[in-house]
Amino acid sequence: MSADRPIAVVTHPILEPGPTILAEACEVRSLPDQAKHSAEALRKAAEGAQGMVTQLMDPVDEELLSTPGLKVVANVAVGFDNIDVVAATRHGVMVCNTPGILDDTTADFAFALLMAAGRRLGEADRFTRSGAFNGWAIDMLLGHDIAQSTLGLVGFGRIGRGVARRARGFGMRVLYSDEMPATPEAEREMGVTRADLDRLLSESDFVSIHVPLTATTRHLISTAQFALMKPTAVLINTSRGPVVDEAALAEALRTGKIFAAGLDVYEEEPKVNPALLKLENVILAPHIASASVRTRSQMSEMAARNLVTGVRGGRPPNILNPEVFNQPRG
Ligand code: GLV
């Protein structure tokens, strides 16, 4: 292996063709395969590297980003709240994500959770397995209709729009809230109406969250918001856990303030709030909304290409802070 090949650290395994792309261009250093690495372990691993392929559970902080020679951090996720992008820009490090390719897969999964929570599929499965199914009954496991109901989308980016398109097939009325209104043509084409968050929460039968985690979206949905929702409402979260106040959600589910929830993300992953684990009316998935064979492979490929382009001095296709090209390295 030639000594001048750039060094790429891979914090967790990725799928083919990612490893092949990286190995063709770089000397690859893979960290031990474990669920989570400490910030300190990541900083140590970054020493001497020009690129890092990271994942959403890796804390990429300013100290790591100030590692001499580090050029690019390629996150294998569309979300990038695990990376201090402002510090990266200050230190001239490119940060990349994997947008676009996971939209349909994630929208599919949000819809799967919506249907499963509304029609009590988790409970139904447990009920049948437990041997409790002793015959058809008129009032057994009654849920709420998806068809012709109202869906509220909190955040109307690519994934939110994907959910809106699916909802049309179910004859749902769709409201959305977003700082950025969609164009009137897009609203017409998708049959959606913009509403402020309070109106959306009070009118929706299903509320699905599609905002990134930022300082303003942390605990966007908490006690006051649950108080606005219908007792028959279902909350779906496939964005980031801390957007929902989990303790308030558990209380709203326990006391019947809302009917059910479907969650793929948690405030302190991989921990799940014990209060949620005790409840029947919540479907709990282990952060798998983008987990299809094709999408996870495409995400791995995109991250590897971003890294290779960046370490070779090019402009990666999915760079989040292109301004690094206009400033001297800090
Ligand atoms: C997954 O949560 C992602 O951000 O891609």
Side-chain angles (χ1 to χ4, degrees):
M1 209 172 285
S2 119
D4 55 9
R5 275 157 66 86
I7 293 172
V9 170
V10 179
T11 60
H12 303 271
I14 60 172
L15 302 185
E16 286 295 351
T20 301
I21 293 165
L22 290 174
E24 275 165 8
C26 304
E27 181 189 322
V28 177
R29 293 189 187 159
S30 300
L31 296 194
D33 187 5
Q34 60 194 53
K36 207 157 181 159
H37 302 297
S38 66
E40 201 189 338
L42 292 172
R43 285 180 211 137
K44 212 166 149 37
E47 283 168 21
Q50 285 74 55
M52 283 184 96
V53 176
T54 56
Q55 298 193 19
L56 53 87
M57 55 289 200
D58 295 326
V60 180
D61 60 13
E62 173 138 27
E63 204 173 324
L64 187 159
L65 291 160
S66 61
T67 305
L70 184 65
K71 284 186 177 164
V72 52
V73 173
N75 218 33
V76 195
V78 66
F80 48 89
D81 48 279
N82 58 311
I83 302 175
D84 186 341
V85 182
V86 174
T89 306
R90 205 163 34 240
H91 292 281
V93 178
M94 297 173 246
V95 179
C96 308
N97 67 340
T98 60
I101 44 179
L102 48 76
D103 300 345
D104 273 328
T105 308
T106 304
D108 282 350
F109 197 79
F111 221 87
L113 281 180
L114 181 157
M115 297 187 74
R119 295 297 306 274
R120 302 175 64 177
L121 208 47
E123 278 178 273
D125 181 78
R126 289 187 291 277
F127 178 84
T128 309
R129 285 172 197 275
S130 74
F133 180 31
N134 294 319
W136 193 90
I138 194 97
D139 59 351
M140 189 197 292
L141 288 161
L142 301 181
H144 291 289
D145 282 325
I146 290 120
Q148 316 308 329
S149 65
T150 297
L151 169 65
L153 296 166
V154 181
F156 201 55
R158 289 182 307 264
I159 297 171
R161 287 170 196 228
V163 178
R165 288 195 191 91
R166 284 154 180 77
R168 283 198 81 175
F170 284 78
M172 294 171 102
R173 167 182 175 241
V174 181
L175 302 175
Y176 76 94
S177 67
D178 199 299
E179 281 169 13
M180 289 270 292
T183 61
E185 299 76 51
E187 288 190 352
R188 238 187 338 269
E189 184 229 318
M190 283 183 275
V192 299
T193 305
R194 188 164 175 238
D196 63 37
L197 182 60
D198 285 3
R199 177 180 156 213
L200 179 148
L201 293 170
S202 59
E203 291 187 16
S204 296
D205 300 301
F206 295 87
V207 174
S208 189
I209 302 175
H210 302 286
V211 290
L213 175 62
T214 63
T216 34
T217 62
R218 187 173 292 274
H219 283 195
L220 182 67
I221 307 295
S222 187
T223 309
Q225 288 67 41
F226 290 121
L228 294 173
M229 291 173 72
K230 299 180 185 182
T232 50
V234 173
L235 179 77
I236 304 303
N237 190 10
T238 52
S239 65
R240 284 293 182 266
V243 176
V244 175
D245 177 344
E246 243 168 39
L249 170 62
E251 191 56 13
L253 288 167
R254 193 184 64 78
T255 56
K257 276 241 160 339
I258 66 170
F259 179 69
L263 304 178
D264 188 44
V265 288
Y266 304 90
E267 278 200 73
E268 289 178 42
E269 290 180 19
K271 270 194 247 156
V272 179
N273 188 318
L276 290 173
L277 289 171
K278 286 194 203 124
L279 296 169
E280 280 292 335
N281 55 344
V282 57
I283 303 253
L284 303 167
H287 205 148
I288 54 168
S290 66
S292 75
V293 173
R294 182 176 62 188
T295 293
R296 287 284 169 86
S297 162
Q298 287 178 338
M299 290 166 70
S300 301
E301 175 174 0
M302 192 179 257
R305 291 201 191 286
N306 282 329
L307 182 138
V308 170
T309 308
V311 294
R312 286 179 169 163
R315 186 187 172 108
N318 309 107
I319 187 165
L320 288 160
N321 56 346
E323 57 280 18
V324 288
F325 287 104
N326 307 327
Q327 63 174 49
R329 238 186 111 94

